[in-house]
Amino acid sequence: MSDFATRQQVLKLRNREIFVTEQGEGPALVMLHGGGPGASGQSNFSRNMEELARDFRVIVPDMPGYGRSTKGIDKRDSFGDLAGAMAEMLDALNLEKAHFAGNSLGGAAAIRLMLEKPNRVDRLVLMGPGGIGTTRALPTKGLNALLNYYQGEGPTREKLAHFIRHYLVAKGIPVDDELIDARYQDSIRPEVVANPPLTRPPGPRALWKMDLTRDARLRKARHPVLVLWGADDLVNRPSGAHWLQKHLPNCSSYLFARTGHWIQWERSDEFNAVTASFLKANNK
C-alpha cells in the first residue's frame, strides 16, 4: 500500500486535455513516458512514483496521443508539439518551472522544452532519449519494430509482446502478461488506431526536426543534465549518451550494464536512487 495519496485530474489546455497523476509534495518533478504502443504515464513509471514522492511532487502526465489524454500529435514537429503541451501543463498547474525526467520520446520532448523555454526547466534526467542522431544512421531494429506496429496487418498482441520482451527490455528481464495485456488494450483503442501517435515522420523536414543533435542551442544550454542509458538498448543507440555528455556543457552520463531501453523499470532501485540524489543536489 502506498504511503502517499495518489491524485488524478484532467487539465484543460488550450486545445487539448491532459490526464495527470500526482504523488508527494516538494519540488516539482515531471516524468514523461516513452512512445511505444500502449504507453502511458503510470505504466511507464509504476516502479518510480512512490519512491520519488518521498522527496518530490511527482507529476506524471499521459502525453498527448497517449493514455487518457487527447489524441493527436502534430507529426510535422512531434517533439516541439509535445514540449509545447508540457509548458501549457505547467501553466495549468501554476508551476513556474520543474525538474523533468524523460524516457525515449519523453526525453526528446524534455530536451525540446529545455531549448524552447529554458526558464521552465530546472534539472533534467534523460533515459535513452529519442532524437539523438535520428537522421545520421539507419533506424535500429527496435525503433523499426515500434514504428511498424500499426503497419502491415495492424496491431496485434503478438507484435506488442515481441517488441516489449525483445526490444524494450534487455534479454532475460521478465515482463508479465498483465503489463502486455494492458498496453495492448490501450494500443487498439479506435481513436489511437485511427491516428497513431508515433509513426514514421511524414517527410524529410519532419525527420530533420527529430534530430536534436543538429540543434546548436544544445551547446549553449547550462541546465544540469543527467543521462542514463542501457548498454543493451536496442531502440535508441547507447552512443547517444557519449554524444550528449560531449556536447552539453553541464552533463553527466551513466551507462547501465545488461539493461535495455526501459531503465526506470528494469533497474528501478538504482534509477530512483541516482535520480533523487541528482535532483536534490540542486536544492542544497
Coordinates of all heavy atoms in Angstrom, one line a residue, residues 45-111:
F45 N 6.0 4.5 -15.3 CA 6.7 4.9 -14.0 C 6.1 4.2 -12.8 O 6.2 4.8 -11.7 CB 6.7 6.4 -13.9 CG 7.4 7.1 -15.0 CD1 6.7 7.9 -15.9 CD2 8.7 6.9 -15.2 CE1 7.4 8.5 -17.0 CE2 9.4 7.5 -16.3 CZ 8.7 8.3 -17.2
S46 N 5.5 3.1 -12.9 CA 4.8 2.4 -11.8 C 5.8 2.0 -10.7 O 5.5 1.9 -9.5 CB 4.1 1.1 -12.3 OG 5.0 0.2 -12.9
R47 N 7.1 1.8 -11.1 CA 8.1 1.4 -10.1 C 8.9 2.6 -9.6 O 9.9 2.4 -8.9 CB 9.1 0.4 -10.8 CG 8.4 -0.9 -11.2 CD 9.4 -1.9 -11.7 NE 8.7 -3.2 -12.0 CZ 9.4 -4.3 -12.4 NH1 10.7 -4.2 -12.6 NH2 8.7 -5.4 -12.6
N48 N 8.5 3.8 -9.9 CA 9.3 5.0 -9.5 C 8.5 6.0 -8.7 O 9.1 6.8 -7.9 CB 9.9 5.7 -10.8 CG 10.4 4.7 -11.8 OD1 9.9 4.6 -12.9 ND2 11.4 3.9 -11.4
M49 N 7.3 6.2 -9.0 CA 6.5 7.3 -8.4 C 6.5 7.3 -6.9 O 6.8 8.4 -6.3 CB 5.0 7.2 -8.9 CG 4.9 7.6 -10.4 SD 3.1 7.6 -10.9 CE 2.5 9.0 -9.9
E50 N 6.2 6.2 -6.3 CA 6.1 6.2 -4.8 C 7.5 6.6 -4.1 O 7.5 7.3 -3.2 CB 5.6 4.9 -4.3 CG 5.4 4.9 -2.8 CD 4.8 3.6 -2.3 OE1 4.4 2.8 -3.1 OE2 4.8 3.4 -1.1
E51 N 8.5 6.0 -4.6 CA 9.8 6.2 -4.0 C 10.3 7.7 -4.2 O 10.8 8.3 -3.3 CB 10.9 5.3 -4.6 CG 12.2 5.4 -4.0 CD 12.2 5.0 -2.5 OE1 11.4 4.2 -2.1 OE2 13.1 5.6 -1.8
L52 N 10.1 8.2 -5.4 CA 10.5 9.6 -5.7 C 9.6 10.6 -5.0 O 10.0 11.7 -4.7 CB 10.5 9.8 -7.2 CG 11.7 9.1 -7.9 CD1 11.5 9.3 -9.4 CD2 13.0 9.6 -7.5
A53 N 8.4 10.2 -4.7 CA 7.4 11.0 -4.0 C 7.9 11.3 -2.5 O 7.3 12.2 -1.9 CB 6.0 10.4 -4.0
R54 N 8.9 10.6 -2.0 CA 9.4 10.9 -0.7 C 10.1 12.2 -0.7 O 10.2 12.9 0.4 CB 10.4 9.8 -0.3 CG 9.7 8.4 -0.2 CD 10.7 7.4 0.3 NE 10.1 6.0 0.2 CZ 9.3 5.5 1.2 NH1 9.1 6.3 2.2 NH2 8.8 4.3 1.0
D55 N 10.6 12.7 -1.8 CA 11.3 14.0 -1.9 C 10.7 15.0 -2.8 O 11.1 16.2 -2.7 CB 12.7 13.7 -2.3 CG 13.5 12.8 -1.4 OD1 13.7 13.2 -0.2 OD2 13.8 11.7 -1.7
F56 N 9.8 14.6 -3.7 CA 9.3 15.5 -4.7 C 7.8 15.4 -4.9 O 7.2 14.4 -4.5 CB 10.0 15.1 -6.1 CG 11.5 15.1 -6.0 CD1 12.2 14.0 -5.8 CD2 12.2 16.3 -6.1 CE1 13.6 14.0 -5.8 CE2 13.6 16.4 -6.1 CZ 14.3 15.2 -5.9
R57 N 7.3 16.4 -5.5 CA 5.9 16.4 -6.0 C 6.0 15.8 -7.4 O 6.4 16.4 -8.4 CB 5.3 17.8 -6.1 CG 3.9 17.8 -6.7 CD 3.5 19.3 -6.9 NE 2.2 19.4 -7.6 CZ 1.6 20.5 -8.0 NH1 2.2 21.7 -7.7 NH2 0.5 20.5 -8.7
V58 N 5.7 14.5 -7.5 CA 5.9 13.8 -8.7 C 4.6 13.9 -9.6 O 3.5 13.6 -9.2 CB 6.2 12.3 -8.5 CG1 6.3 11.5 -9.8 CG2 7.4 12.1 -7.6
I59 N 4.8 14.4 -10.8 CA 3.7 14.7 -11.7 C 3.9 13.9 -13.0 O 5.0 14.0 -13.7 CB 3.7 16.2 -12.1 CG1 3.6 17.1 -10.8 CG2 2.6 16.5 -13.1 CD1 3.9 18.6 -11.1
V60 N 3.0 13.0 -13.2 CA 3.1 12.0 -14.3 C 2.0 12.2 -15.3 O 0.9 11.7 -15.0 CB 3.2 10.6 -13.8 CG1 3.3 9.6 -15.0 CG2 4.4 10.4 -12.9
P61 N 2.2 12.9 -16.4 CA 1.1 13.1 -17.4 C 1.0 11.9 -18.4 O 2.1 11.3 -18.6 CB 1.4 14.4 -18.1 CG 2.9 14.4 -18.1 CD 3.3 13.7 -16.8
D62 N -0.1 11.7 -18.9 CA -0.2 10.9 -20.2 C 0.0 12.0 -21.3 O -0.8 13.0 -21.4 CB -1.6 10.3 -20.4 CG -1.8 9.1 -19.5 OD1 -0.9 8.7 -18.8 OD2 -3.0 8.8 -19.4
M63 N 1.1 11.9 -22.0 CA 1.4 12.9 -23.0 C 0.3 12.9 -24.1 O -0.4 11.9 -24.3 CB 2.8 12.7 -23.6 CG 3.9 13.0 -22.6 SD 5.5 13.3 -23.4 CE 5.8 11.8 -24.2
P64 N 0.1 14.0 -24.9 CA -0.8 14.0 -26.0 C -0.6 12.8 -26.9 O 0.5 12.4 -27.2 CB -0.5 15.3 -26.7 CG 0.0 16.2 -25.6 CD 0.8 15.3 -24.7
G65 N -1.8 12.2 -27.3 CA -1.7 11.0 -28.1 C -1.8 9.7 -27.3 O -2.0 8.6 -27.9
Y66 N -1.6 9.7 -26.0 CA -1.4 8.5 -25.2 C -2.4 8.5 -24.0 O -2.9 9.5 -23.6 CB 0.0 8.4 -24.7 CG 1.0 8.2 -25.8 CD1 1.6 9.3 -26.4 CD2 1.4 6.9 -26.2 CE1 2.5 9.1 -27.4 CE2 2.3 6.8 -27.2 CZ 2.9 7.9 -27.8 OH 3.8 7.7 -28.8
G67 N -2.7 7.3 -23.5 CA -3.4 7.1 -22.3 C -4.8 7.8 -22.4 O -5.5 7.6 -23.3
R68 N -5.1 8.5 -21.3 CA -6.4 9.2 -21.2 C -6.3 10.7 -21.6 O -7.2 11.4 -21.3 CB -6.9 9.1 -19.8 CG -7.4 7.7 -19.5 CD -7.9 7.5 -18.1 NE -6.9 7.0 -17.1 CZ -7.1 6.8 -15.9 NH1 -8.3 7.0 -15.3 NH2 -6.1 6.3 -15.1
S69 N -5.2 11.1 -22.3 CA -5.1 12.4 -22.8 C -5.7 12.5 -24.2 O -5.9 11.5 -24.9 CB -3.7 12.9 -22.8 OG -3.2 13.1 -21.4
T70 N -5.9 13.8 -24.7 CA -6.4 14.0 -26.0 C -5.5 13.3 -27.1 O -4.3 13.4 -27.0 CB -6.5 15.5 -26.3 OG1 -7.4 16.1 -25.4 CG2 -7.0 15.8 -27.7
K71 N -6.1 12.7 -28.0 CA -5.3 12.0 -29.1 C -4.9 13.0 -30.1 O -5.5 14.0 -30.3 CB -6.1 10.9 -29.7 CG -6.5 9.8 -28.7 CD -5.3 9.3 -27.9 CE -5.7 8.2 -26.9 NZ -6.3 8.8 -25.7
G72 N -3.8 12.7 -30.9 CA -3.4 13.5 -32.0 C -2.2 14.3 -31.6 O -2.1 15.0 -30.6
I73 N -1.1 14.2 -32.4 CA 0.1 15.0 -32.3 C 0.4 15.6 -33.7 O 0.2 15.0 -34.7 CB 1.3 14.0 -31.9 CG1 1.0 13.5 -30.4 CG2 2.6 14.8 -31.9 CD1 2.1 12.5 -30.0
D74 N 1.0 16.8 -33.6 CA 1.5 17.4 -34.9 C 2.7 16.7 -35.3 O 3.8 17.0 -34.8 CB 1.7 18.9 -34.6 CG 2.1 19.6 -35.9 OD1 2.3 18.9 -37.0 OD2 2.3 20.8 -35.9
K75 N 2.6 15.8 -36.3 CA 3.7 15.0 -36.7 C 4.7 15.7 -37.6 O 5.8 15.2 -37.9 CB 3.2 13.7 -37.4 CG 2.4 12.8 -36.4 CD 1.9 11.6 -37.1 CE 1.0 10.8 -36.2 NZ 0.4 9.6 -36.8
R76 N 4.4 16.9 -38.0 CA 5.4 17.7 -38.7 C 6.5 18.2 -37.7 O 7.6 18.5 -38.1 CB 4.7 19.0 -39.3 CG 3.7 18.7 -40.3 CD 2.9 19.9 -40.7 NE 2.1 20.4 -39.5 CZ 1.4 21.5 -39.5 NH1 1.3 22.2 -40.6 NH2 0.8 21.8 -38.4
D77 N 6.2 18.2 -36.4 CA 7.2 18.5 -35.4 C 6.7 18.0 -34.1 O 6.3 18.7 -33.2 CB 7.4 20.0 -35.3 CG 8.5 20.4 -34.3 OD1 9.3 19.6 -33.9 OD2 8.6 21.6 -33.9
S78 N 6.8 16.6 -34.0 CA 6.2 16.0 -32.8 C 6.9 16.4 -31.5 O 6.2 16.6 -30.5 CB 6.2 14.5 -33.0 OG 7.6 14.0 -33.2
F79 N 8.2 16.5 -31.5 CA 8.9 16.8 -30.2 C 8.5 18.2 -29.8 O 8.2 18.5 -28.6 CB 10.4 16.8 -30.4 CG 10.9 15.4 -30.7 CD1 12.2 15.3 -31.2 CD2 10.2 14.3 -30.5 CE1 12.7 14.0 -31.5 CE2 10.7 13.0 -30.8 CZ 12.0 12.9 -31.3
G80 N 8.4 19.2 -30.8 CA 8.0 20.5 -30.4 C 6.6 20.6 -29.9 O 6.3 21.4 -29.0
D81 N 5.7 19.8 -30.6 CA 4.3 19.9 -30.1 C 4.2 19.3 -28.7 O 3.4 19.9 -27.9 CB 3.5 19.0 -31.1 CG 2.0 19.1 -30.8 OD1 1.5 20.2 -30.4 OD2 1.3 18.1 -31.1
L82 N 4.9 18.3 -28.4 CA 4.8 17.7 -27.0 C 5.4 18.7 -26.0 O 4.9 18.8 -24.9 CB 5.5 16.4 -27.0 CG 4.9 15.2 -27.8 CD1 5.8 14.0 -27.8 CD2 3.5 14.8 -27.2
A83 N 6.5 19.3 -26.4 CA 7.2 20.3 -25.5 C 6.2 21.4 -25.2 O 6.1 21.9 -24.1 CB 8.5 20.8 -26.1
G84 N 5.5 21.9 -26.2 CA 4.6 23.0 -26.0 C 3.5 22.6 -25.1 O 3.0 23.4 -24.2
A85 N 3.0 21.4 -25.3 CA 1.9 20.9 -24.4 C 2.3 20.8 -22.9 O 1.6 21.1 -22.0 CB 1.4 19.5 -24.9
M86 N 3.6 20.4 -22.7 CA 4.1 20.3 -21.4 C 4.3 21.7 -20.7 O 4.1 21.8 -19.5 CB 5.4 19.5 -21.3 CG 5.2 18.0 -21.7 SD 4.1 17.1 -20.7 CE 2.5 17.2 -21.7
A87 N 4.7 22.7 -21.5 CA 4.7 24.0 -21.0 C 3.3 24.5 -20.6 O 3.2 25.1 -19.5 CB 5.3 24.9 -22.0
E88 N 2.3 24.2 -21.4 CA 1.0 24.6 -21.1 C 0.5 23.8 -19.8 O -0.2 24.4 -19.0 CB 0.0 24.2 -22.2 CG 0.1 25.1 -23.4 CD -0.9 24.8 -24.5 OE1 -2.1 24.7 -24.1 OE2 -0.6 24.7 -25.6
M89 N 0.9 22.6 -19.6 CA 0.6 21.9 -18.4 C 1.2 22.5 -17.2 O 0.5 22.6 -16.2 CB 1.1 20.4 -18.5 CG 0.7 19.5 -17.4 SD 1.6 17.9 -17.3 CE 3.2 18.5 -16.9
L90 N 2.4 23.0 -17.3 CA 3.0 23.7 -16.1 C 2.1 25.0 -15.8 O 1.9 25.3 -14.6 CB 4.4 24.2 -16.4 CG 5.5 23.0 -16.6 CD1 6.8 23.7 -16.8 CD2 5.5 22.1 -15.3
D91 N 1.7 25.7 -16.8 CA 0.8 26.8 -16.6 C -0.5 26.4 -15.9 O -0.9 27.1 -14.9 CB 0.5 27.5 -17.9 CG 1.6 28.2 -18.6 OD1 2.6 28.5 -17.9 OD2 1.6 28.4 -19.8
A92 N -1.1 25.3 -16.3 CA -2.3 24.9 -15.7 C -2.1 24.5 -14.3 O -3.1 24.5 -13.5 CB -2.9 23.7 -16.5
L93 N -0.9 24.0 -13.9 CA -0.6 23.6 -12.6 C 0.0 24.7 -11.7 O 0.4 24.5 -10.6 CB 0.4 22.4 -12.6 CG -0.2 21.1 -13.1 CD1 1.0 20.1 -13.3 CD2 -1.2 20.5 -12.2
N94 N 0.0 25.9 -12.3 CA 0.6 27.1 -11.7 C 2.0 26.9 -11.2 O 2.4 27.3 -10.1 CB -0.3 27.5 -10.5 CG -1.7 28.0 -10.8 OD1 -1.8 28.8 -11.8 ND2 -2.7 27.4 -10.2
L95 N 2.8 26.2 -12.1 CA 4.2 26.0 -11.8 C 5.1 26.8 -12.8 O 4.9 26.8 -14.0 CB 4.5 24.5 -12.0 CG 4.0 23.5 -11.0 CD1 4.2 22.1 -11.5 CD2 4.7 23.8 -9.6
E96 N 6.0 27.6 -12.2 CA 6.9 28.4 -13.0 C 7.9 27.5 -13.7 O 8.2 27.7 -14.9 CB 7.6 29.4 -12.1 CG 8.6 30.3 -12.9 CD 9.3 31.3 -12.0 OE1 8.9 31.5 -10.9 OE2 10.3 31.9 -12.5
K97 N 8.4 26.5 -13.0 CA 9.4 25.6 -13.5 C 9.3 24.3 -12.8 O 8.7 24.1 -11.7 CB 10.8 26.2 -13.5 CG 11.3 26.4 -12.1 CD 12.7 27.0 -12.0 CE 13.6 27.0 -13.1 NZ 14.9 27.6 -12.9
A98 N 10.0 23.3 -13.3 CA 10.0 21.9 -12.7 C 11.3 21.2 -13.2 O 11.9 21.5 -14.2 CB 8.8 21.1 -13.1
H99 N 11.6 20.2 -12.4 CA 12.6 19.2 -12.9 C 11.8 18.3 -13.9 O 10.6 18.1 -13.8 CB 13.1 18.3 -11.8 CG 13.8 19.0 -10.7 ND1 14.9 19.7 -10.9 CD2 13.6 18.9 -9.3 CE1 15.4 20.2 -9.7 NE2 14.6 19.7 -8.8
F100 N 12.6 17.7 -14.9 CA 11.9 16.8 -15.8 C 12.8 15.5 -15.9 O 14.0 15.6 -15.9 CB 11.8 17.4 -17.2 CG 10.7 18.4 -17.4 CD1 10.7 19.7 -16.9 CD2 9.5 17.9 -18.0 CE1 9.6 20.5 -17.0 CE2 8.4 18.7 -18.1 CZ 8.5 20.1 -17.6
A101 N 12.1 14.4 -16.0 CA 12.7 13.1 -16.3 C 12.0 12.5 -17.4 O 10.8 12.3 -17.4 CB 12.7 12.2 -15.0
G102 N 12.7 12.3 -18.5 CA 12.0 11.8 -19.7 C 12.7 10.6 -20.3 O 13.9 10.5 -20.5
N103 N 11.8 9.6 -20.6 CA 12.3 8.3 -21.2 C 12.0 8.3 -22.7 O 10.8 8.6 -23.1 CB 11.6 7.2 -20.5 CG 11.9 5.8 -21.2 OD1 11.0 5.0 -21.4 ND2 13.1 5.5 -21.4
S104 N 13.0 8.1 -23.6 CA 12.7 7.9 -25.0 C 12.1 9.1 -25.6 O 12.6 10.2 -25.7 CB 11.9 6.6 -25.2 OG 12.0 6.2 -26.6
L105 N 10.8 9.0 -26.1 CA 10.1 10.1 -26.7 C 9.9 11.2 -25.6 O 10.1 12.4 -26.0 CB 8.7 9.6 -27.1 CG 7.7 10.7 -27.7 CD1 8.2 11.3 -29.0 CD2 6.3 10.1 -27.8
G106 N 9.7 10.8 -24.4 CA 9.6 11.8 -23.3 C 10.9 12.6 -23.1 O 10.8 13.8 -22.8
G107 N 12.0 11.9 -23.3 CA 13.3 12.6 -23.2 C 13.5 13.6 -24.3 O 14.0 14.7 -24.0
A108 N 13.1 13.2 -25.5 CA 13.2 14.2 -26.6 C 12.3 15.4 -26.4 O 12.7 16.5 -26.6 CB 12.8 13.5 -27.9
A109 N 11.1 15.2 -25.9 CA 10.2 16.3 -25.6 C 10.8 17.2 -24.5 O 10.7 18.4 -24.6 CB 8.8 15.8 -25.2
A110 N 11.4 16.6 -23.5 CA 12.0 17.4 -22.4 C 13.2 18.2 -22.9 O 13.4 19.3 -22.5 CB 12.5 16.4 -21.3
I111 N 14.0 17.6 -23.8 CA 15.1 18.4 -24.4 C 14.6 19.6 -25.2 O 15.1 20.7 -25.0 CB 16.0 17.5 -25.3 CG1 16.7 16.4 -24.5 CG2 17.0 18.3 -26.1 CD1 17.4 15.4 -25.3

